[in-house]
Amino acid sequence: MKAVKTVLGLLFDDKFLVSGIILSIILLFLLSKLIHGSAMGWLFLLFIISSLLISIVVERKRIKT
Amino acid sequence: MNIYVILASFLGTAVEFIEALTIVLAVGITKGWKSSLLGAISSLLVLSALVGIFGTALLTAVNLFYFQAIIGILMLLFGMRWLRKVILRFGGLKAIHDEEEAYNKEIKRLSNHIKQNDTTIEWFGFGTSFNIVFLEGLEAIFIVITFGLAAHTLGSAILGSIIGLVIVGAAGIILRKPLSMISENTMKFIVGLMLTSFGVFWVGEGFKVEWWHADISILIIMIVLCCVSLGTAAALKKRGASA
């Protein structure tokens, strides 16, 4: 029960981050049909880094206001 | 006994054990040894049961890709959350140490300790250790079965993996103390970095990404994420100072 609460807490706590991760995975899934090899993996890393940076920018704005 | 199979199995499985050990150690230091070790032991029990039930048929009975994708997503969710928090702290947007929050947490922890005599398990620590040991253990079992069946000497492959497990385990016991001296925020940064790197790698593997030089890519992912995180924290600090 505690573990479920932790996961749910996480989902509601960092909406931007979780949305970014989900979007990155969807993009990875779509890309897996088009690109093969390690390029797909590095693109996925790029999406994940973008999600992280976007969530930090959003958090920074929230804290500043 | 085949010495080449013992050596191949030892090297192959030792890599997996080292990967699991780094996370188990980091989780133990940040979230408590009880949760970390219980997660690791529970995972080993589940793996033993799987081997007991399926035997060498485990190779065909279990699809590793599904496990990699699911556990990778969980690692990403938890790892990126930690990484984000630490970047914000290093960047000066969040207090490095909130005294009031720390005080309240300590009071709560002490009251829980008195009530439950320290029997509580930190589920994040338990789950993370369980997942990493399960996945790396499963990969190690696959290596043993593959080498053992290919060379028709399963005993040699098992012996190689046992030697690997003992050596890596001993290294973990030796490293436990020096690692405990690292500051809490730095340790959280390392854990966040590792969980996110493993998460990216496994989700990729789950979607059939052929990583460059296989597990070596984890190190590259880790270096890239480390540079981005430290760079972002430095940029946040600079902007904060100039604002």
Side-chain angles (χ1 to χ4, degrees):
Chain A
M1 196 63 201
K2 241 183 172 180
V4 175
K5 271 185 184 174
T6 308
V7 175
L8 285 176
L10 165 75
L11 289 173
F12 289 106
D13 191 27
D14 304 318
K15 284 180 203 128
F16 276 96
L17 194 62
V18 176
S19 310
I21 295 169
I22 293 167
L23 198 66
S24 302
I25 292 165
I26 292 169
L27 281 170
L28 175 70
F29 172 72
L30 294 174
L31 277 174
S32 67
K33 313 272 175 200
L34 303 167
I35 308 169
H36 297 282
S38 66
M40 197 168 77
W42 302 118
L43 271 174
F44 179 57
L45 176 64
L46 193 70
F47 297 149
I48 287 295
I49 289 171
S50 308
S51 309
L52 182 68
L53 294 179
I54 290 168
S55 81
I56 287 170
V57 170
V58 171
E59 185 67 9
R60 183 177 176 269
K61 277 193 176 172
R62 197 188 64 80
I63 290 170
K64 290 276 172 189
T65 53
Chain B
M1 287 286 156
N2 184 327
I3 191 76
Y4 295 109
V5 176
I6 293 174
L7 194 67
S9 174
F10 163 72
L11 291 173
T13 54
V15 171
E16 309 300 339
F17 296 146
I18 289 167
E19 286 174 5
L21 176 78
T22 48
I23 302 273
V24 171
L25 277 177
V27 168
I29 291 163
T30 50
K31 292 287 175 185
W33 292 106
K34 194 176 182 179
S35 312
S36 181
L37 291 176
L38 262 178
I41 292 164
S42 309
S43 192
L44 287 173
L45 288 175
V46 173
L47 285 170
S48 307
L50 280 174
V51 172
I53 294 165
F54 293 104
T56 52
L58 191 70
L59 209 61
T60 46
V62 174
N63 191 337
L64 195 64
F65 289 115
Y66 291 125
F67 283 108
Q68 283 173 324
I70 293 164
I71 293 176
I73 291 168
L74 285 173
M75 291 278 166
L76 269 180
L77 284 170
F78 288 112
M80 284 183 75
R81 190 190 183 207
W82 274 35
L83 205 55
R84 178 175 162 273
K85 266 187 188 172
V86 179
I87 291 171
L88 290 170
R89 276 182 188 160
F90 284 169
L93 284 173
K94 271 191 179 178
I96 291 282
H97 194 73
D98 190 333
E99 291 298 335
E100 198 182 350
E101 193 189 0
Y103 174 75
N104 289 333
K105 270 187 183 171
E106 186 60 18
I107 294 292
K108 203 176 168 187
R109 193 189 69 79
L110 284 173
S111 61
N112 282 342
H113 177 77
I114 293 161
K115 276 180 200 166
Q116 299 168 20
N117 198 23
D118 207 17
T119 52
T120 48
I121 293 168
E122 225 294 340
W123 289 104
F124 168 81
F126 178 89
T128 308
S129 270
F130 182 91
N131 286 338
I132 188 93
V133 173
F134 183 78
L135 204 51
E136 297 296 353
L138 208 55
E139 285 185 18
I141 290 167
F142 279 21
I143 289 169
V144 170
I145 295 173
T146 309
F147 282 150
L149 290 184
H152 304 288
T153 171
L154 201 58
S156 302
I158 292 170
L159 181 67
S161 71
I162 290 170
I163 295 169
L165 186 65
V166 170
I167 291 175
V168 174
I173 293 166
I174 296 163
L175 286 171
R176 194 173 69 100
K177 216 166 184 183
L179 280 175
S180 305
M181 291 171 190
I182 299 172
S183 77
E184 192 193 338
N185 274 314
T186 309
M187 205 63 219
K188 280 187 172 173
F189 175 65
I190 295 168
V191 176
L193 210 58
M194 284 202 296
L195 292 184
T196 309
S197 306
F198 278 98
V200 169
F201 181 80
W202 281 336
V203 172
E205 289 247 298
F207 283 91
K208 313 271 170 77
V209 170
E210 289 162 16
W211 289 103
W212 180 76
H213 285 283
D215 287 17
I216 300 281
S217 290
I218 299 175
L219 276 177
I220 299 167
I221 296 168
M222 221 177 267
I223 292 165
V224 171
L225 279 171
C226 183
C227 293
V228 169
S229 305
L230 292 176
T232 309
L236 286 174
K237 216 170 191 176
K238 205 176 172 186
R239 282 194 170 204
S242 62

